[in-house]
Amino acid sequence: MISGCLLVMFVATVMAQSDLSVDCSSDAVAVSWRPRLDLSEKLDLSRALLGNCPPSFLGSDETLRFYVSLRDCGFHKRVSVNRVMYSSVLIYDRGPGLSFISQSLRCVSDLPPDMMTAFSPKNEALDEAEEEITFSMELMNSDFSGPAPSLTFKLGSSIPIRAEVHSHGPLLVFLEKCVASTDSDISRVSPVHPFISNSGCLMENSTFLPRRVPAEIRLYLEAFKFALGEKIFLHCDVMARDIHSMMVNGKACHFVKEWELLDDHSRRSVCSCCESTCPWRTDTPTGVSERKILGPLIIVEDQSDGSLDTRVSEEGLSEFPVWLLVTLVTSLLVTVMVVLAVSYYLCVWRGGRMGYRPRRDLLTKH
């Protein structure tokens, strides 16, 4: 890439929408956008993004305003022999059960003739590399603000997991299939335990979280009883597709009182096959996918409520040391006999009076 290029004659190319205006300059862009909502919906500033940047403010005409640098907010820059293009996407999250509204945005300029010779095949190769789609997957802390502080989880606790797709275009990410294994190489013979199957059905009393952006999917996986105390690896097939396409094979289903579809509750019927076998359409595109591996992590039993008495009652008296039991019983009997003897001496033999003297001593003194 050549820095400091003079970009001229910018043109914003967007999807056909009458409520969007874009003004591109040499290093920044001003965007006014009003997503088309239902009459019952109120525009929420916190639900909108340009790339990864929130709006600058909400205009008095209920229009989202963005004023950002083309070097920020995740704009993708592509340079060809005679043209420079910056592209990003506007996203509005309508809330749980409702589909996202997205809007592609591009700023394009022609390079001056004296700049065209500055680009070499090496630079164009770098541009092509930037267009590659990459996936990431990681274990997170409880509020997804950072990586997991520990890789040991108690049985029944929540394991926060986040998967993302990274690309210049608007993509929607899914988890098609996930299994737990005691081996980092799934091809080797080892015990496995599936927790996402049927092209996106989440099992194990776990749940997906509402999406923050289409390119990210989060879930709380309940730590299940599998290879307790051993190293466990999670193998997941992560898939991404264009946000505008309607593919049959991509879904995110979880059980909340009944099977529900994460991205559109009104279409929950597509999750009805989760407890049997969901059909797989081979005549439709399936997007781009990649296998990611998490771990090793360890799941342990929670013994914080255990006690000696509980363990003894569960294991039986037969496992309690006999010599210790005999010693305790003997000590208890000796203690009881001593207490009885002292009580008899003080309360009966001496009449129960402290300082008692025999009668003959009293007669001698008189």
Side-chain angles (χ1 to χ4, degrees):
M1 300 283 184
I2 301 297
S3 59
C5 297
L6 178 61
L7 305 178
V8 295
M9 201 180 72
F10 270 88
V11 178
T13 61
V14 298
M15 295 172 58
Q17 289 257 10
S18 59
D19 47 8
L20 174 70
S21 65
V22 181
D23 182 14
C24 298
S25 64
S26 60
D27 60 356
V29 61
V31 179
S32 297
W33 183 45
R34 183 164 58 188
R36 292 179 176 176
L37 305 176
D38 294 339
L39 295 177
S40 59
E41 297 179 75
K42 183 178 180 181
L43 193 62
D44 186 345
L45 192 71
S46 65
R47 294 180 178 273
L49 289 172
L50 171 55
N52 54 22
C53 289
S56 303
F57 63 91
L58 181 63
S60 58
D61 56 348
E62 291 295 305
T63 300
L64 299 168
R65 305 293 176 87
F66 299 84
Y67 297 95
V68 299
S69 169
L70 290 170
R71 290 184 290 271
D72 299 329
C73 305
F75 271 92
H76 176 72
K77 181 180 180 181
R78 181 178 182 182
V79 182
S80 61
V81 176
N82 59 358
R83 178 174 291 185
V84 176
M85 181 178 71
Y86 288 87
S87 60
S88 187
V89 62
L90 289 157
I91 298 171
Y92 186 81
D93 179 6
R94 298 170 62 197
L98 299 174
S99 59
F100 285 89
I101 298 175
S102 65
Q103 183 82 66
S104 300
L105 184 150
R106 292 185 293 169
C107 288
V108 183
S109 71
D110 292 330
L111 287 174
D114 59 338
M115 297 295 297
M116 293 182 185
T117 58
F119 296 93
S120 66
K122 181 179 179 180
N123 295 127
E124 293 181 18
L126 289 175
D127 281 328
E128 292 177 2
E130 287 180 4
E131 292 185 33
E132 292 181 358
I133 296 173
T134 59
F135 295 89
S136 65
M137 192 170 178
E138 54 190 330
L139 296 168
M140 305 296 294
N141 59 13
S142 58
D143 62 357
F144 291 86
S145 60
S150 171
L151 297 181
T152 300
F153 300 89
K154 293 181 180 179
L155 182 66
S157 65
S158 294
I159 303 176
I161 298 175
R162 180 180 70 184
E164 291 182 289
V165 60
H166 308 275
S167 173
H168 70 280
L171 295 177
L172 192 62
V173 68
F174 297 95
L175 292 172
E176 288 187 287
K177 179 176 67 174
C178 291
V179 299
S181 173
T182 55
D183 199 316
S184 59
D185 186 351
I186 197 68
S187 63
R188 289 197 283 256
V189 178
S190 61
V192 295
H193 181 89
F195 59 91
I196 294 182
S197 59
N198 272 326
S199 305
C201 297
L202 178 60
M203 317 298 284
E204 292 297 340
N205 196 28
S206 304
T207 182
F208 289 112
L209 277 68
R211 293 186 192 265
R212 297 184 291 195
V213 293
E216 174 193 70
I217 190 166
R218 301 173 299 158
L219 68 142
Y220 282 131
L221 174 67
E222 182 178 287
F224 43 80
K225 195 170 185 178
F226 171 75
L228 296 178
E230 300 182 40
K231 291 182 178 180
I232 297 173
F233 297 86
L234 306 182
H235 304 258
C236 290
D237 291 340
V238 189
M239 187 265 283
R241 62 170 172 81
D242 188 274
I243 194 173
H244 303 297
S245 67
M246 294 297 294
M247 293 185 181
V248 177
N249 296 325
K251 62 181 183 294
C253 298
H254 57 171
F255 193 86
V256 184
K257 296 184 179 179
E258 60 181 328
W259 283 103
E260 293 188 358
L261 185 66
L262 173 65
D263 299 305
D264 188 352
H265 293 184
S266 64
R267 297 179 57 242
R268 63 166 62 100
S269 60
V270 302
C271 301
S272 60
C273 60
C274 283
E275 294 186 8
S276 54
T277 301
C278 294
W280 179 265
R281 291 283 300 276
T282 58
D283 58 341
T284 59
T286 57
V288 181
S289 64
E290 181 178 319
R291 176 158 294 179
K292 306 300 291 185
I293 303 175
L294 286 181
L297 57 92
I298 298 175
I299 299 175
V300 297
E301 289 189 278
D302 186 1
Q303 297 180 343
S304 59
D305 295 332
S307 63
L308 177 61
D309 294 337
T310 303
R311 289 195 297 270
V312 169
S313 63
E314 290 177 350
E315 295 172 359
L317 290 175
S318 61
E319 298 183 10
F320 198 84
V322 177
W323 66 267
L324 180 58
L325 182 61
V326 172
T327 302
L328 290 175
V329 172
T330 304
S331 300
L332 180 60
L333 290 174
V334 171
T335 302
V336 170
M337 292 177 65
V338 170
V339 169
L340 290 174
V342 171
S343 300
Y344 177 81
Y345 174 75
L346 294 176
C347 299
V348 178
W349 191 80
R350 297 194 61 179
R353 300 187 301 275
M354 298 304 294
Y356 170 80
R357 290 183 297 170
R359 285 182 185 174
R360 62 176 176 271
D361 292 342
L362 294 174
L363 291 173
T364 301
K365 286 188 177 183
H366 291 290

